[in-house]
Amino acid sequence: MPARLPSWAWVTGLTAGAIAAVVVLAVQADQGTKPVAATTRPSAPVTADAKPSAEPEEKKPVAVPDGSGTGRRIVYSLDRKRVWLVDASDTPRRSFTVWPGTVTPDPGTYTIGKRTEATTGSDGVPVEHIMYFAQKSGVFIAFSNAVDGSSPPPAEPGAQTGGIRIAKPDGKALWTFGSAGTTVRVVE
C-alpha cells in the first residue's frame, strides 16, 4: 500500500506553486508597457494644522496664453502642445497636453464645425469625439481621442495627418464642452 502524504506537504507544495506563478506573472507584467500620466497632481505641503478633507484636491490650472481672446472658447497652443477649455468668465476649467498631427492649423480664430462620435483616424486607429475646426493643404484638422486611450505613434515619413490626439478623459471633457459653433483660438 502506497504511503499517504500528510496534509502539510500538500499545502506546502500548493503554496510554493502559487508563489512561483505569481513571481512569473509579476516578471511578465514588469516587462510590458507602462502607462504614462499626462500630468501630475500637485502635492499639498504638510503643515501642523493640516486637516483631512473628503473633497479631492483641486489642480491649479496652467495659465491661458496671452492674446488668446476672451469669452467661452477652446484655446490650442501650437508651441506648448496644450489645450484649455475656458468658460464665459475667462476662467480656465481644464487644461491638457495633446499630440498634434503633421499638419497644424495657422494661428487664428476658428469654430467647431462637424462633430463625429466615432470613426477610424488617418493613422488607422479607431478614434472618438472628433471635432473638426480647420482645414489646411486639403487636410481636415480635428481634436479626437483613441478609443483604447493610447497616444498615437509617430507618423510615417511624408504622412499628412490633421488629428490632434488627446487622452481619453480629456476627449470626453472636450466633447462635452465644444459643441458646434464653439470658438477655437489657435495661438503660437
Side-chain angles (χ1 to χ4, degrees):
M1 181 153 133
R4 185 174 180 162
L5 286 175
S7 62
W8 63 266
W10 283 102
V11 171
T12 302
L14 290 172
T15 302
I19 290 172
V22 168
V23 168
V24 167
L25 291 173
V27 168
Q28 288 176 342
D30 189 50
Q31 293 173 351
T33 59
K34 294 167 183 60
V36 177
T39 59
T40 57
R41 176 173 230 126
S43 60
V46 177
T47 61
D49 60 358
K51 295 179 181 140
S53 171
E55 296 179 26
E57 265 183 67
E58 287 294 318
K59 272 203 274 190
K60 184 177 180 182
V62 177
V64 179
D66 292 335
S68 67
T70 59
R72 188 174 188 281
R73 66 198 181 279
I74 299 166
V75 177
Y76 171 38
S77 170
L78 300 170
D79 292 343
R80 292 160 78 178
K81 297 179 183 169
R82 179 170 284 279
V83 166
W84 290 261
L85 307 181
V86 183
D87 69 14
S89 68
D90 286 329
T91 303
R93 293 297 172 189
R94 188 176 186 120
S95 179
F96 46 88
T97 56
V98 300
W99 297 275
T102 60
V103 177
T104 58
D106 293 324
T109 303
Y110 304 87
T111 57
I112 297 294
K114 182 178 177 184
R115 290 170 28 114
T116 303
E117 183 68 37
T119 191
T120 300
S122 58
D123 56 1
V125 174
V127 293
E128 62 186 353
H129 303 130
I130 305 99
M131 297 171 44
Y132 298 91
F133 67 93
Q135 183 178 8
K136 183 176 178 183
S137 303
V139 176
F140 290 100
I141 299 172
F143 298 111
S144 66
N145 65 271
V147 172
D148 68 2
S150 65
S151 62
E156 295 179 21
Q160 297 260 318
T161 60
I164 302 164
R165 195 68 52 81
I166 56 184
K168 190 170 181 115
D170 298 323
K172 186 172 184 177
L174 183 60
W175 181 259
T176 301
F177 184 87
S179 56
T182 300
T183 299
V184 178
R185 179 77 174 131
V186 178
V187 298
E188 291 291 334

